[in-house]
Amino acid sequence: MSSSTIDRLRLDGRVAVVTGGAGAIGRVYGRALAEAGAAVVLADLDGERAEQAAEALASDGLRALGVRVDITDRTSAADLAAKTTAAFGGIDILVNNAALMAEIPQVDILDLPTEWFDRVMRVNVLGAVICAGAVKASMTERGGGRIINQASAGAFLGGGIYSVSKLALVNITVGLARSLGPLGINVNAIAPGLVDNEPGLRSLPADHPARAALAATIPGKKSAPAEDLLGTLLLLASPAGEWINGQVISVDGGWVTRL
Ligand SMILES: NC(=O)c1ccc[n+]([C@@H]2O[C@H](COP(=O)([O-])OP(=O)(O)OC[C@H]3O[C@@H](n4cnc5c(N)ncnc54)[C@H](O)[C@@H]3O)[C@@H](O)[C@H]2O)c1
């Protein structure tokens, strides 16, 4: 592969916002985007942890800022966009990664309290839409951008409210790709399988009988660290992925397959 092909995976001069940036995967995503050359804003409901995560990047010479955001609040999302623009000049990449997952009560959807139904849909679905809306003006002004929605293999496997919310996010990915495409904004989604981190383990403990049953249905690697998602993230965020739009890319060892 020529070095110009590799160069097209770099993000020098770009500005990326990662929601849920203080979380397990968000921190890994933020570091990868920064190491690829982007200035990165780690945005999270837990502002203190977002700032600490950004400081860890900055202490390694990377350009990073931690910002508190509640993605379900339009004013807060607008404030995130304004702070990002003030710090780094605008926004080129949004990773809609914040979500509720491990905290959701593991009960049959028929028994899920209405407030949890509303809460999950509000954070996992509306939150991503609000953030996309908040970055649209800046991306448009800069001639385009990338929005990457963090879906899940669960979207295609059915079950609880989490799966419902992630399939809604896939649908929104396609809709936004169509509406924002003419502005030069590509919208895609990553659908990870089971990630080897604390929230993943909390959602499905290693010794849970369902894990062995699930693993039997996955032809490849059963679970993986967040680092295994980074190739896809960088492809979707970088010039190398310019022609990819409105897609959901499963990174799950072949757990979910589609013809
Ligand atoms: N861990 C897994 O196995 C796995 C698998 C597939 C997909 N995912 C998805 O990856 C993403 C990150 O998951 P994770 O494992 O890092 O979990 P995590 O809980 O560590 O990260 C989620 C982050 O989102 C933040 N957040 C929650 N509500 C928010 C709000 N209203 N505004 C702003 N931030 C908010 C939380 O504070 C947290 O830091 C999620 O979208 C999750 O659904 C995770």
Side-chain angles (χ1 to χ4, degrees):
M1 218 179 322
S2 72
S3 66
S4 64
T5 305
I6 297 294
D7 288 347
R8 279 169 57 78
L9 282 159
R10 287 210 50 92
L11 300 172
D12 302 291
R14 307 286 157 115
V15 180
V17 173
V18 181
T19 69
I25 296 176
R27 285 197 308 269
V28 176
Y29 276 11
R31 176 168 290 275
L33 294 167
E35 286 179 349
V40 172
V41 173
L42 299 175
D44 204 285
L45 192 58
D46 189 333
E48 208 170 303
R49 278 201 309 138
E51 279 172 28
Q52 285 164 4
E55 275 160 24
L57 297 184
S59 68
D60 289 337
L62 301 167
R63 296 178 75 205
L65 179 73
V67 172
R68 185 194 177 274
V69 70
D70 179 352
I71 60 167
T72 68
D73 177 344
R74 288 184 195 276
T75 307
S76 181
D79 182 57
L80 165 64
K83 281 182 175 148
T84 304
T85 299
F88 299 126
I91 303 164
D92 303 296
I93 299 156
L94 166 68
V95 186
N96 270 323
N97 167 72
L100 298 175
M101 182 185 72
E103 3 345 52
I104 303 171
Q106 297 196 3
V107 295
D108 190 286
I109 198 164
L110 295 177
D111 301 320
L112 188 74
T114 303
E115 57 268 27
W116 266 105
F117 200 106
D118 291 346
R119 205 175 150 202
V120 174
M121 294 304 279
R122 201 171 162 79
V123 176
N124 295 13
V125 183
L126 178 64
V129 174
I130 286 178
C131 289
V135 302
K136 180 182 166 188
S138 181
M139 286 186 180
T140 305
E141 206 178 286
R142 287 158 79 89
R146 301 293 170 82
I147 297 177
I148 299 159
N149 293 326
Q150 181 83 317
S152 168
F156 308 101
L157 299 166
I161 188 65
Y162 176 74
S163 298
V164 171
S165 72
K166 291 299 185 178
L167 187 56
L169 190 58
V170 167
N171 194 300
I172 284 163
T173 300
V174 177
L176 287 181
R178 290 188 190 284
S179 63
L180 300 180
L183 301 172
I185 302 170
N186 290 17
V187 188
N188 293 291
I190 302 175
L194 290 169
V195 178
D196 295 326
N197 60 16
E198 193 270 334
L201 278 172
R202 223 166 1 124
S203 301
L204 199 55
D207 58 355
H208 196 291
R211 202 177 259 258
L214 282 179
T217 70
I218 303 175
K221 209 165 169 177
K222 313 302 178 193
S223 66
E227 282 75 7
D228 279 33
L229 301 167
L230 297 179
T232 307
L233 175 77
L234 291 182
L235 175 63
L236 295 179
S238 69
E242 201 175 0
W243 209 20
I244 306 171
N245 198 12
Q247 303 303 308
V248 48
I249 302 186
S250 291
V251 186
D252 64 2
W255 190 6
V256 174
T257 49
R258 296 176 288 272
L259 293 177

